[in-house]
Amino acid sequence: MPQKIAVVIPAGGGGTRLWPRSRQKTPKQFLDIVTPGVSMLQETAARVCPNLVASDHLYVITNKRHIPLVREQLASTPSVNFVGEPMGRDSAPAIGLMAALLERRHGAETVMVALPADHVILDPAAFRDTLRVAIDAAVNGSLVTLGIPPAGPDTGFGYIRRGSALADGDIPVYNVAQFREKPDRATAEAYVASNEYFWNAGMFIATVGHFRSLYKQHLPEMEPAIAQLVDAAGTDSEEEVFAKVFPTLPKVSIDYAIIEKADRVAVVPAHIGWNDVGSWTRLAEIQANQANADANIVTGELRAIDARASLVHAPGKLVALIGLDNLIVIDTEDALLIADRSRSDEVKKIVEQLQTEGRSDLL
Amino acid sequence: MPQKIAVVIPAGGGGTRLWPRSRQKTPKQFLDIVTPGVSMLQETAARVCPNLVASDHLYVITNKRHIPLVREQLASTPSVNFVGEPMGRDSAPAIGLMAALLERRHGAETVMVALPADHVILDPAAFRDTLRVAIDAAVNGSLVTLGIPPAGPDTGFGYIRRGSALADGDIPVYNVAQFREKPDRATAEAYVASNEYFWNAGMFIATVGHFRSLYKQHLPEMEPAIAQLVDAAGTDSEEEVFAKVFPTLPKVSIDYAIIEKADRVAVVPAHIGWNDVGSWTRLAEIQANQANADANIVTGELRAIDARASLVHAPGKLVALIGLDNLIVIDTEDALLIADRSRSDEVKKIVEQLQTEGRSDLL
């Protein structure tokens, strides 16, 4: 593929639903949540580099304080580019800044592929094949998103309704008819039954020029700030200018501010073994194939008496479970989570409570 | 009370049912299981010293390797006597050795009070009053045991059936009609309904001369060994002689070998707030009055969402419980127990499994 491509990995999220492993110092994308010894960011980078882009066309944008950690994790991939945000302002400013930066460095015709740092993709080769189709569609003028064929009527994702076919290769491309917010259960069931909907995985592909024109159209008030940031990036004044400009940026998601307002949006069905690891419950589903004879999924050592179907993470420790099924057990040095497996989403409430209490030592 | 008294605290037990806190290096009697910062042995000693005996009449007999720990725990009580066993041979040899040692040091007329190191007694003053009655009965020729008025039809204790009254002061004394092994549930219910039974708490009181004559009668084959041990105790040859003689001693309990075979056995009802902390489940019962509004009993910090009636021990750690009731959670540096509250007895099986595996690091 002769087309110039750059991959941008926004890695600024917090990931509080994977507390107590995910902390402000080390959000989930920097942890080996899925594969022992390999962080989710490292897996994300390895999926596309060097097989889709060279490392000098790979960009990671994350909170400034995580840059040393990111550099360390990607040390074996030299020439990767890092952009540090002095504070998180959600995804629209981050992607907007990256589009402007890539325009200057690589040209408006470069295709920008934006990939979240905290997803599971079990079939990287299929993923790259799907991305290549999306990139072609982007070159042909579409803003492209990957659509995950729903595994069920999940209410935790936004949905994308496909419209008419744009291209019908082995991997087809559809126009997007509509984006839908996270639905209630009945609506999700109707979506799945219709066979017209995909999960929105938050992966976006378009030429840099296309992104830039969308930002100019839908977020024109941000343009002066973006120009200041791009001028300062990589210079001695970067730190000072970023620190001054970032607080003025709108805190808004790219989905809301750009994608859902754009015309010529396309979706490529992505049969790639995708999951988002949005909770311990979901991780237990993803790792079901690693379960032992009692259906327990264990990091560390487990001795179980009449105890089944739990996710146990306690490296370096022996855990004894007696007479209890369907638990989430996550042990760390200073915090221990024990939750009913169906209710691990409520970890959010624990984190909120600790925030209210000002317990930054545990966040 | 002009009577000479000596208190003997056998502290050699293992206490595997309180794993993972109770370990071979630090069995439960040396841990602050009930009162933060105070070990059960320290509590046992403080109940009788100095209010019943001076410290030079207090004896602790335990495994030799625990003597440094015991000395440290009782450092603020100088002049306490320590006897180290090179190996555990159950209670009959330990008490037999102590009776012979006390005979030589303090005389046959001394009353020996043997008190396990791992009991909870919530009313120490009532306990001492009860002991004084028992000591009087011992001086008058009885082998005396304390009888715990049953709180319910517990199948985890041996029972004592009282016979005729020997003395009827504020605290009466009865002849013992019968000792009974741990009963099944129906039998226990019948015992409790009859109002004639007490729990056997394993506390024995008799003059040293009385104990000596019982041992000569019922364990005569042990006498030469006992004589060797007493001759060596406190001399330069103690270590050598103990190491040689102990392996030859019968491994048998004082209940089986002596008490149940004796005549003139008396029982004193002991309304003293007694419990034996034989399991985490029982500790949770004992500490019910320390429970928070959600009925959780916590050492460490707990944040609970829809989670009640659990015993949580995790000092220095924050535990988050979500959607789970009636747990036992015991966290230590290298092992974590999570059990259904009604099934903590099965910790024994975990310990047995670890023994089978040769996991001495966790025992």
Side-chain angles (χ1 to χ4, degrees):
Chain A
M1 192 184 305
Q3 179 60 46
K4 281 208 291 185
I5 303 166
V7 170
V8 171
I9 303 177
T16 59
R17 285 184 300 176
L18 294 188
W19 184 92
R21 287 199 69 198
S22 186
R23 304 285 181 99
Q24 287 175 350
K25 272 188 196 163
T26 48
K28 67 172 177 176
Q29 58 270 25
F30 306 127
L31 299 175
D32 58 343
I33 296 283
V34 178
T35 308
V38 185
S39 80
M40 303 192 78
L41 172 68
Q42 288 173 318
E43 292 189 286
T44 302
R47 274 181 214 123
V48 293
C49 177
N51 279 333
L52 193 75
V53 291
S55 58
D56 61 351
H57 281 58
L58 181 62
Y59 287 78
V60 178
I61 178 165
T62 189
N63 192 294
K64 191 179 139 191
R65 68 169 163 168
H66 292 136
I67 293 288
L69 177 60
V70 171
R71 280 189 191 279
E72 193 188 314
Q73 292 200 348
L74 298 181
S76 66
T77 311
S79 313
V80 176
N81 304 278
F82 303 101
V83 177
E85 302 175 289
M87 63 181 61
R89 301 305 288 178
D90 213 331
S91 53
I95 300 293
L97 166 58
M98 293 310 300
L101 198 62
L102 295 184
E103 182 178 39
R104 180 163 303 185
R105 292 199 188 167
H106 304 295
E109 74 286 7
T110 305
V111 174
M112 178 166 109
V113 177
L115 303 175
D118 55 359
H119 289 175
V120 171
I121 291 171
L122 300 178
D123 189 342
F127 174 55
R128 286 188 293 270
D129 288 343
T130 307
L131 280 182
R132 287 185 187 104
V133 171
I135 288 162
D136 282 344
V139 171
N140 289 330
S142 291
L143 169 62
V144 189
T145 180
L146 300 197
I148 309 298
D154 204 298
T155 58
F157 300 122
Y159 282 70
I160 302 167
R161 185 157 73 87
R162 63 174 163 83
S164 55
L166 262 177
D168 58 356
D170 290 344
I171 300 175
V173 183
Y174 299 99
N175 286 302
V176 167
Q178 216 163 14
F179 286 97
R180 293 289 202 173
E181 296 294 305
K182 293 176 185 176
D184 61 25
R185 181 82 189 179
T187 307
E189 285 173 357
Y191 288 172
V192 173
S194 77
N195 220 20
E196 290 183 356
Y197 284 82
F198 300 104
W199 290 340
N200 184 353
M203 298 188 271
F204 306 112
I205 304 98
T207 64
V208 165
H210 192 165
F211 272 116
R212 290 291 296 128
S213 67
L214 288 168
Y215 272 83
K216 284 174 191 161
Q217 181 183 353
H218 299 293
L219 282 174
E221 70 281 12
M222 209 170 70
E223 284 298 304
I226 293 290
Q228 280 185 281
L229 293 172
V230 171
D231 283 342
T235 73
D236 289 347
S237 65
E238 173 177 315
E239 186 163 343
E240 185 194 340
V241 173
F242 275 39
K244 198 182 68 183
V245 171
F246 256 81
T248 71
L249 297 172
K251 212 170 177 176
V252 61
S253 76
I254 187 172
D255 302 75
Y256 178 80
I258 303 290
I259 308 292
E260 295 175 16
K261 293 178 174 161
D263 303 318
R264 290 185 294 145
V265 187
V267 58
V268 180
H271 296 266
I272 57 179
W274 180 90
N275 212 309
D276 84 329
V277 206
S279 68
W280 293 117
T281 304
R282 209 180 286 276
L283 182 66
E285 289 163 14
I286 294 168
Q287 298 189 326
N289 61 339
Q290 299 169 32
N292 65 19
D294 290 333
N296 293 307
I297 302 158
V298 183
T299 308
E301 282 193 90
L302 180 69
R303 298 293 179 278
I305 295 176
D306 196 13
R308 279 168 296 273
S310 291
L311 175 73
V312 175
H313 178 91
K317 190 174 274 197
L318 184 130
V319 178
L321 278 182
I322 300 176
L324 295 162
D325 298 339
N326 296 306
L327 300 188
I328 301 287
V329 177
I330 309 294
D331 187 47
T332 69
E333 201 181 333
D334 56 358
L336 166 63
L337 168 69
I338 307 175
D340 181 287
R341 182 168 160 160
S342 67
R343 298 178 62 173
S344 74
D345 273 353
E346 296 175 50
V347 164
K348 266 192 309 189
K349 295 185 196 170
I350 299 283
V351 173
E352 285 162 11
Q353 192 177 338
L354 293 172
Q355 282 164 344
T356 304
E357 295 170 11
R359 292 298 298 273
S360 54
D361 56 319
L362 291 163
L363 294 171
Chain B
M1 192 185 304
Q3 178 61 44
K4 280 208 291 185
I5 303 167
V7 170
V8 171
I9 303 176
T16 59
R17 285 183 300 173
L18 294 189
W19 184 92
R21 287 200 68 198
S22 185
R23 302 286 180 100
Q24 287 175 352
K25 272 187 195 164
T26 49
K28 68 172 177 177
Q29 59 270 25
F30 306 127
L31 299 176
D32 58 344
I33 296 284
V34 178
T35 308
V38 186
S39 80
M40 303 192 77
L41 172 68
Q42 289 172 317
E43 291 189 287
T44 302
R47 274 181 214 122
V48 293
C49 177
N51 278 334
L52 193 78
V53 291
S55 59
D56 60 352
H57 280 59
L58 180 62
Y59 288 78
V60 178
I61 179 167
T62 189
N63 193 293
K64 189 178 142 192
R65 68 169 163 168
H66 292 136
I67 293 288
L69 178 59
V70 171
R71 280 189 191 280
E72 193 188 314
Q73 293 200 348
L74 298 181
S76 67
T77 311
S79 312
V80 176
N81 305 279
F82 303 101
V83 178
E85 302 175 288
M87 62 181 61
R89 301 305 288 177
D90 214 330
S91 54
I95 301 294
L97 166 59
M98 293 311 301
L101 199 62
L102 294 184
E103 182 178 39
R104 181 163 301 185
R105 292 201 188 164
H106 303 295
E109 75 286 8
T110 305
V111 174
M112 178 166 107
V113 177
L115 303 176
D118 55 358
H119 289 177
V120 171
I121 292 171
L122 300 178
D123 189 342
F127 174 55
R128 286 187 294 269
D129 289 342
T130 307
L131 279 182
R132 288 187 186 103
V133 171
I135 288 162
D136 283 344
V139 171
N140 289 332
S142 291
L143 168 62
V144 189
T145 180
L146 299 198
I148 309 299
D154 203 299
T155 58
F157 300 122
Y159 282 71
I160 303 168
R161 184 157 74 87
R162 63 173 164 84
S164 55
L166 263 175
D168 58 356
D170 288 345
I171 300 174
V173 184
Y174 298 99
N175 287 305
V176 167
Q178 217 163 12
F179 285 97
R180 292 291 199 172
E181 296 293 305
K182 293 176 185 176
D184 60 25
R185 182 81 188 178
T187 306
E189 285 173 357
Y191 288 174
V192 172
S194 77
N195 220 18
E196 291 183 353
Y197 284 82
F198 300 103
W199 289 341
N200 184 352
M203 296 189 272
F204 306 112
I205 304 98
T207 65
V208 164
H210 193 164
F211 272 115
R212 290 289 298 124
S213 68
L214 287 168
Y215 272 82
K216 284 174 190 160
Q217 182 183 353
H218 298 293
L219 282 174
E221 70 280 12
M222 209 169 70
E223 284 298 304
I226 294 289
Q228 280 184 282
L229 294 172
V230 171
D231 284 343
T235 74
D236 289 347
S237 65
E238 174 177 313
E239 186 164 342
E240 185 195 342
V241 173
F242 274 39
K244 197 182 70 186
V245 171
F246 257 81
T248 71
L249 297 173
K251 212 170 177 178
V252 60
S253 77
I254 187 172
D255 302 76
Y256 177 80
I258 302 289
I259 308 291
E260 295 174 17
K261 292 178 175 159
D263 303 318
R264 290 186 294 147
V265 187
V267 58
V268 181
H271 296 266
I272 58 179
W274 179 91
N275 213 308
D276 84 328
V277 206
S279 68
W280 294 117
T281 304
R282 209 181 284 278
L283 182 66
E285 289 164 14
I286 294 168
Q287 298 189 327
N289 61 339
Q290 299 169 31
N292 65 20
D294 290 333
N296 293 308
I297 302 157
V298 184
T299 307
E301 283 192 89
L302 180 69
R303 297 294 179 277
I305 295 176
D306 195 14
R308 279 167 294 274
S310 291
L311 175 73
V312 175
H313 177 90
K317 191 174 275 199
L318 184 131
V319 178
L321 278 182
I322 300 176
L324 295 163
D325 298 336
N326 296 306
L327 300 188
I328 301 287
V329 177
I330 309 294
D331 186 47
T332 69
E333 201 181 335
D334 57 357
L336 166 62
L337 167 69
I338 307 174
D340 181 287
R341 181 169 162 160
S342 67
R343 296 179 63 173
S344 75
D345 272 354
E346 297 176 49
V347 164
K348 265 192 310 191
K349 294 185 195 170
I350 299 283
V351 173
E352 285 163 11
Q353 192 177 339
L354 293 172
Q355 283 165 344
T356 303
E357 295 170 11
R359 292 298 297 273
S360 54
D361 56 320
L362 292 164
L363 295 171

